[in-house]
Each structure stands twice: as C-alpha cells, then as structure tokens.
Amino acid sequence: MNKMLGLIFAYSRYSGMRELVAPRTAASVPYAGRYRAIDFCLSNMVGAGITDVGIIMRDSYQSLMDHLGSGKDWDLSRKNGGLFLLPPFSYGGEQSHSGTFTGKLDALAGVTSYIAHSREPYVVLADGDCITNIRLRDVLARHIETKADITVVCSKLPVGDPARSIYYRFGEDGRIVGIDSHPERAQENESLGMFIMEKRLLQRLIQLGRAGDMVHFERGILREQLSSLRVLPYFHAGYVARLHNVAMYYRHSMAILDPAVREQLFDRNNPIRARVRDDAPTYYSDNAVVKNSLIAAGCRIEGHVENSILFRGVYVAPGATVKNSIIMQEGKVLENVFISHVIADKYVYISRDNMLMGNAAYPVVIAKHSTV
C-alpha cells in the first residue's frame, strides 16, 4: 500500500471573518454544531489511512491546540507517527526559514526536518480551513495512475472569495499551464489547497524555493515549475465550503440544514471525526418550539428556535426567540430576547429583553465571552 505523510496548513486568519478569528485561526473556527473547520481535513487524512500528520501553525494557535489535544479522537495518539503540532521556530534548523513565515513554501521550509524524518513516500498538503469530504485514497490512486508529478485538487465551480483564491488554466493535454492568483472576479477551476506528490519532489521544491528566496507555493515555486513538471488536476465534485469571510461562513453554516448537503459532508463511509465531549441529551421543555434546526447535545431549550444551529451547552430561555442564527458553545439567550441572523461566538451571554437583527449578507457577529 502506498502511504502518505499529511501536512495541514492551519495558520490562515482572514480579516473578513472579523470577530470569529480574533481568538483563533480559520482552521479552528467552530462549524456545524460540534466541529471545527480542521476536523474535515484531518478526518479525510485519517480516512485515507494516514497515521502521520503534522499541523503547521504560526500564531493564535492555543484554541487549535486545546481542540486537537493528543489527537486521540482522530486515532492519532500513537507511539509511531501520530499527530504533531508544528509551531514556528521548532523544526526549521539553521539553514531554514523560521519565525513568522509569510507563505506555504516558507512554512514548509520551517519543518524540513520533520518532513525528512517521515518514511512515507508521498505527501499530501492541505489547507485546514477547507471544509469538504474527499477520499484521498482515490486522489492518490489517480496520481499514480496518471504518473503526475503533482496532483492538485480543484473545483470546476468557484467556491471561495476571489481575493483569497487561486485558479488554474489548462493546456490541450489536460496539464496545468497557468495559475491566476487573487483575481477581481471568480473563475473556473478553483484550487482547494490540496496537493499530492512524492516526498522527494517536495523536498526538492523547498530547496529551489530557498535558493530563489520564494515564500509562496502555488503562486511561487509551483508557477515557476509548471513547464518542467507534470501537474494534473483532480476535480472534486462534492460540497465545498471556504470560510473567507463572515457572509460565507454564515451561508455555508445555514446550508448544513439542507439534508442533501449533510449527506455529502457527513458520509458514513468516510466519517468526519471531532473532539469527543460527553454531554447529556438536549432538554426540551413542554413549551419549547423547534423548527428546521440543528441542535447539539447538552442544550436546554425552553423558547423558540427556528432555522438555526446551536452548539453544545446552549440555553434558550422561556419567551426567547432564535431565528436564522448560530449560537456557539455554552451560549445563553435569556427571557424575551429576539435574535435573527446573529452569529454568537462561544460563551456569549445575551441578557433579557434584547433584540438583535442582521441579514444574510451581513449577520450580526458577537465576539467570544461577550455580554449583550
């Protein structure tokens, strides 16, 4: 069996995510009631049989470390291999870039010793904030079958913010011949930030990048090497969510209420794992009203909840109405509150007799630990 080393880039923080990335990176943003964005990428790797995964971090990574722990919940707490958290300064060595790196290639240069110690012949690189369910075994099989130097996973349809996205252009033979970065408008063939290649090739690209003082992977060393490498696409047709700004986060979160989307993201044959937290079942009072909502365990619902997502431990008091909103872990919505199109981060306390209303394009965002 051909095995892979997994490397996840978990340091991006998009300004468009506003208060949601103040205490954390985009990879650590809570999603779908009980998950973090990184759970999808990490679960895809574990589902492909990858047992050696490195998480490349830069700053604001305490939230991510608390969530991942030893990796036990993803079956990555192992004597050999397992989950490795790779903060800056730790693995670079004397001749590598270190510190506050500015691009993926720069980040990879900081973990060269970790890469070198892996015995796996292939490497999969992935963005930790790309939410999708993909069978990486199939991507590797296609990579080997087509004899590609690098296989890049992309979507034929635009899924991200163009200002944060990379798009590919193809030649007549199907090879990637051009890369467009951060255009004004969305294009076809958008990169999903996933790549498979031989470990030896990745090490050579890192060395070439160092020699050329490059810091970026796709719009740096990959673009420069397109003419000399066989770079082929793998088109992923499943549901994809990119969390580049608050409006996108809200839209993709609300999409979870659609059973068809849930079926794509939470495929039982390729399960998405999350950190286990033992909560009692959610309590619904006799007067509670719940419609078309996703409610995690440990909640107490005594009011009205409609078209909303409630994370673990949320309390909705009698007389309170929660519509079209996302209330994260341990949120409290007290009596006679009315909220619509609101995203409340963890441990938010909304006191009685309040009214908060946003819209789908610009939802109200309440920062973590806030009292309203």
Side-chain angles (χ1 to χ4, degrees):
M1 175 182 172
N2 295 294
K3 294 187 177 180
M4 296 177 280
L5 164 68
L7 288 172
I8 300 176
F9 301 102
Y11 56 81
S12 295
R13 299 176 70 191
Y14 307 116
S15 59
M17 288 289 283
R18 295 160 46 197
E19 293 89 344
L20 296 179
V21 293
R24 59 174 77 91
T25 64
S28 189
V29 169
Y31 185 78
R34 61 186 294 262
Y35 301 90
R36 301 292 182 107
I38 197 172
D39 291 345
F40 293 81
C41 178
L42 195 56
S43 298
N44 289 331
M45 291 187 176
V46 171
I50 298 175
T51 58
D52 194 346
V53 180
I55 310 293
I56 300 177
M57 305 180 295
R58 181 176 60 196
D59 53 20
S60 299
Y61 48 75
Q62 186 62 54
S63 171
L64 195 62
M65 293 174 65
D66 291 343
H67 175 69
L68 296 175
S70 66
K72 178 182 177 181
D73 295 316
W74 296 266
D75 194 27
L76 289 173
S77 180
R78 298 166 173 263
K79 292 182 178 180
N80 297 315
L83 183 71
F84 288 82
L85 304 179
L86 307 173
F89 303 107
S90 296
Y91 288 85
E94 295 180 358
Q95 297 180 355
S96 72
H97 297 275
S98 61
T100 54
F101 44 80
T102 56
K104 290 180 180 177
L105 192 63
D106 201 14
L108 290 167
V111 296
T112 50
S113 61
Y114 171 73
I115 296 171
H117 281 112
S118 172
R119 297 180 180 179
E120 314 300 354
Y122 294 95
V123 178
V124 54
L125 310 177
D127 288 344
D129 53 75
C130 181
I131 294 174
T132 192
N133 190 317
I134 184 171
R135 297 176 184 274
L136 291 173
R137 287 182 188 270
D138 295 345
V139 184
L140 177 61
R142 177 75 62 80
H143 175 81
I144 296 171
E145 177 187 352
T146 58
K147 299 180 180 179
D149 292 313
I150 301 175
T151 296
V152 299
V153 180
C154 53
S155 171
K156 290 186 176 181
L157 300 175
V159 294
D161 178 2
R164 299 286 187 180
S165 300
I166 302 289
Y167 303 89
Y168 299 122
R169 287 179 278 113
F170 303 107
E172 294 181 358
D173 59 354
R175 289 176 55 178
I176 294 175
V177 297
I179 296 176
D180 297 324
S181 56
H182 311 157
E184 293 183 2
R185 296 182 180 180
Q187 302 177 17
E188 296 179 341
N189 308 318
E190 181 176 328
S191 170
L192 298 186
M194 298 182 202
F195 314 86
I196 287 182
M197 68 194 79
E198 288 190 356
K199 188 183 83 169
R200 292 175 299 178
L201 175 58
L202 177 62
Q203 291 173 310
R204 182 166 68 86
L205 293 177
I206 293 172
Q207 292 176 349
L208 290 172
R210 285 178 179 172
D213 199 25
M214 296 181 185
V215 296
H216 297 292
F217 184 77
E218 283 174 283
R219 52 196 175 101
I221 192 65
L222 184 59
R223 177 183 279 164
E224 182 184 82
Q225 296 293 314
L226 284 178
S227 60
S228 58
L229 293 176
R230 182 174 169 82
V231 183
L232 297 178
Y234 179 95
F235 289 106
H236 177 52
Y239 185 84
V240 180
R242 300 307 302 261
L243 309 182
H244 291 154
N245 55 55
V246 166
M248 294 177 69
Y249 174 81
Y250 179 83
R251 182 175 75 252
H252 288 303
S253 294
M254 290 296 104
I256 292 293
L257 299 178
D258 183 346
V261 172
R262 291 202 301 273
E263 186 176 349
Q264 288 191 59
L265 279 180
F266 301 102
D267 183 351
R268 293 183 179 180
N269 296 317
N270 195 39
I272 303 300
R273 307 180 184 212
R275 181 180 178 184
V276 174
R277 175 177 143 169
D278 295 324
D279 288 285
T282 289
Y283 169 80
Y284 299 90
S285 74
D286 292 340
N287 296 321
V289 177
V290 178
K291 299 179 181 179
N292 190 40
S293 296
L294 181 64
I295 299 179
C299 295
R300 185 178 181 90
I301 311 300
E302 299 185 45
H304 184 109
V305 180
E306 186 174 345
N307 298 327
S308 295
I309 298 173
L310 273 54
F311 284 66
R312 295 159 168 164
V314 170
Y315 172 58
V316 179
T321 299
V322 177
K323 289 188 175 182
N324 310 307
S325 296
I326 303 164
I327 311 298
M328 296 186 192
Q329 184 174 307
E330 303 296 341
K332 300 291 185 286
V333 183
L334 297 195
E335 291 82 359
N336 301 320
V337 166
F338 181 91
I339 61 174
S340 179
H341 296 92
V342 169
I343 302 172
D345 207 334
K346 296 170 64 176
Y347 307 110
V348 164
Y349 183 95
I350 304 178
S351 57
R352 63 181 63 197
D353 302 320
N354 262 301
M355 177 180 287
L356 299 171
M357 297 182 65
N359 58 65
Y362 203 87
V364 174
V365 181
I366 306 174
K368 185 178 179 181
H369 288 296
S370 295
T371 297
V372 178

